[in-house]
Amino acid sequence: MSDNDIFGQAIARLDEALEFADIDREAVARLRHPKQVLEVSIPVRMDNGDLQIFTGYRVRHDDTRGPTKGGIRYHPGVTLSEVKALAFWMTLKCAVAGIPYGGGKGGVTVNPKELSRLELERLTRGFTSQIADFIGPETDIPAPDVYTNAMVMGWLMDEYSKIHRKRSPGVVTGKPIPLGGSQGREDATGRGAYYCIKSLEAAEGWRPGDMTVAVQGFGNAGQHVARLLQEDGYKIVAVSDSKGGIHNCEGFDIPSLCTAKNETRVLRAVYCHGSVCELVDADVISNEELLELDVDILIPAALENQITGRNAGQIKAPYVFEVANGPTTSDADQILSQKGTTVVPDVLCNAGGVTVSYFEWVQNRGGFYWTVDEVHERLREIMVREFAEVWNFAKSRGTSPRTAAYALALGRIGDAVESQGTARYFAGN
Ligand code: GLU
């Protein structure tokens, strides 16, 4: 699929859900267009003295239900169409989670692995100053996404606060805890997905020890969901990062893999006792091979468009939990549904991150901070409740969980739009 089509393909999915959604056509027409799009160029003085110009975007898709909310990604593949699609998914995700936000997203086309830490800070401060009139605690609130982290969010908050001459922790979430971040934000995306898996475990009567899992993407979300599942007895038999993957039928010790990866930046099959790590048996596999493994649960936790019309026929896992945004294309959806694969969609499965972002924003506004147990419990309550809503809707209406999640989200957005009046209301005057 051409990159330019990502937004077009994303909104095409609205049509599949409309049949089941209680929403006025006018409201849907609005969702087909992002509300505001900003493209900026960011000049950065590199360590060697050269000036490099980077391109960045911030998109506010829809703010009917509240300020727009969504991460900022640093990746060489970032395009405007991708950022628009990601902002659209955020609109749906916030509605599925029932939190009072619309959808936004940002991105800079850059390979952050090629930048020094100082260059990364200059890039972040430069990007922040270019978008400083577009974002704000009541309008549009960024957060981490692919290849950005708490420190990047801390720089953003600091730069924004300097520009506006007042400390503004609520302008961004996913900040370091000493700068106003929330307990429990770091593992929130993985934990939210874990609560979804636990809900399905209860519904289907799985025994964790019998379940094998493959995780594509060993970044923040992938590492945490794998760790939580392993603690419960699930066998994580394969993981991968952008360079490739490892597979062992006996399962890996996830904390060991995390220690090694976070220290050396390389994914290696190891078992660590304290700080001493030794190699364990494993097959080296590609990212494509990982997706096609004969496992019970497949967790794409990397980038969009991984399960496509080309490889969907070869996916053997009966359950797919989308921790990444947009990992499955619509043609792949059709093939998976014919095979009877259950796909728990991104807009539900990875909503834990933005849900705890909402908690962080609430805490920043109140100036009163919660314990990690309070954060976990409130997150669990929302994920379990919304999983059940989506699941029951899908079962009662005979739709896929994705169509159910979209229909529920559209109903909630539709309620907000209609409460301001639509043609139906005004024609009645
Ligand atoms: N980037 C994350 C997502 O795609 C989190 C967004 C947020 O916390 O605002 O859901």
Side-chain angles (χ1 to χ4, degrees):
M1 172 175 37
S2 128
D3 217 17
N4 294 332
D5 292 340
I6 296 184
F7 179 63
Q9 298 253 352
I11 56 168
R13 280 222 176 98
L14 285 174
D15 299 325
E16 293 159 35
L18 276 182
E19 191 188 328
F20 303 95
D22 184 13
I23 184 170
D24 192 279
R25 298 291 138 144
E26 268 186 22
V28 182
R30 283 163 59 162
L31 296 178
R32 293 188 200 280
H33 305 273
K35 182 185 167 84
Q36 286 179 312
V37 173
L38 178 65
E39 176 175 332
V40 298
S41 47
I42 315 154
V44 177
R45 181 71 57 198
M46 307 304 278
D47 291 345
N48 66 3
D50 287 353
L51 189 73
Q52 258 194 51
I53 316 284
F54 296 92
T55 303
Y57 308 97
R58 186 75 197 168
V59 172
R60 302 182 66 214
H61 174 259
D62 179 74
D63 67 348
T64 316
R65 297 184 64 261
T68 49
K69 183 85 190 82
I72 291 177
R73 104 173 14 183
Y74 288 172
H75 193 275
V78 164
T79 62
L80 178 57
S81 180
E82 183 197 37
V83 178
K84 280 159 60 174
L86 289 160
F88 162 74
W89 288 323
M90 287 307 302
T91 299
L92 294 172
K93 193 187 299 184
C94 293
V96 170
I99 56 178
Y101 287 139
K105 202 80 176 197
V108 177
T109 315
V110 59
N111 184 352
K113 293 176 188 167
E114 289 170 0
L115 265 50
S116 73
R117 288 183 183 174
L118 280 167
E119 289 167 344
L120 203 62
E121 178 176 357
R122 290 196 284 269
L123 174 73
T124 303
R125 290 186 184 275
F127 183 48
T128 306
S129 81
Q130 302 274 20
I131 62 171
D133 294 325
F134 198 76
I135 59 174
E138 315 289 336
T139 45
D140 178 40
I141 306 142
D145 196 75
V146 173
Y147 295 161
T148 55
N149 59 17
M151 190 176 277
V152 171
M153 300 307 120
W155 292 328
L156 192 156
M157 194 270 271
D158 185 57
E159 192 63 26
Y160 180 90
S161 299
K162 278 185 188 152
I163 292 166
H164 290 270
R165 292 198 168 276
K166 89 177 166 215
R167 191 178 173 85
S168 311
V171 69
V172 63
T173 59
K175 299 178 290 293
I177 290 175
L179 296 181
S182 176
Q183 299 285 345
R185 177 62 185 82
E186 187 62 23
D187 75 355
T189 307
R191 183 173 288 273
Y194 165 76
Y195 292 139
C196 286
I197 297 171
K198 295 304 277 181
S199 293
L200 203 53
E201 174 191 303
E204 309 276 272
W206 298 336
R207 289 205 358 242
D210 298 340
M211 304 295 285
T212 54
V213 183
V215 183
Q216 186 205 38
F218 207 56
N220 175 292
Q223 290 187 16
H224 287 297
V225 71
R227 171 182 60 81
L228 290 164
L229 287 173
Q230 195 207 345
E231 282 171 11
D232 269 9
Y234 284 78
K235 249 196 244 173
I236 318 300
V237 297
V239 300
S240 66
D241 67 8
S242 59
K243 295 179 213 79
I246 49 179
H247 176 221
N248 176 341
C249 297
E250 295 310 310
F252 292 109
D253 177 59
I254 301 302
S256 297
L257 299 190
C258 294
T259 308
K261 160 105 193 180
N262 296 337
E263 263 168 26
T264 62
R265 292 200 174 181
V266 180
L267 179 62
R268 283 179 311 138
V270 290
Y271 183 79
C272 306
H273 332 253
S275 58
V276 184
C277 298
E278 60 192 45
L279 286 173
V280 296
D281 266 355
D283 300 325
V284 172
I285 54 172
S286 67
N287 265 296
E288 293 71 36
E289 286 166 336
L290 179 138
L291 296 173
E292 298 173 13
L293 286 174
D294 189 4
V295 289
D296 299 303
I297 296 179
L298 174 63
I299 303 184
L303 293 172
E304 54 271 11
N305 296 344
Q306 299 300 302
I307 305 176
T308 65
R310 228 171 11 85
N311 63 0
Q314 278 77 260
I315 303 290
K316 298 179 194 65
Y319 297 96
V320 177
F321 287 84
E322 293 185 334
V323 169
N325 288 308
T328 312
T329 60
S330 352
D331 46 348
D333 257 347
Q334 314 253 315
I335 299 168
L336 293 176
S337 121
Q338 274 156 22
K339 282 164 47 136
T341 310
T342 299
V343 180
V344 178
D346 49 4
V347 292
L348 169 67
C349 190
N350 71 26
V354 72
T355 300
V356 178
S357 276
Y358 166 56
F359 298 162
E360 180 174 330
W361 182 75
V362 167
Q363 292 169 76
N364 291 152
R365 287 155 72 94
F368 180 74
Y369 289 84
W370 310 350
T371 65
V372 72
D373 290 344
E374 283 173 300
V375 170
H376 288 172
E377 189 41 37
R378 287 190 162 117
L379 173 63
R380 199 190 61 79
E381 207 178 284
I382 290 181
M383 294 307 302
V384 168
R385 183 183 69 217
E386 300 306 336
F387 183 91
E389 284 267 336
V390 169
W391 200 247
N392 295 338
F393 188 104
K395 286 270 170 272
S396 66
R397 307 291 294 272
T399 72
S400 68
R402 189 187 317 279
T403 299
Y406 273 49
L408 277 169
L410 289 176
R412 290 172 182 173
I413 298 164
D415 285 347
V417 173
E418 280 179 51
S419 53
Q420 300 176 26
T422 60
R424 219 166 34 200
Y425 170 79
F426 290 111
N429 256 339

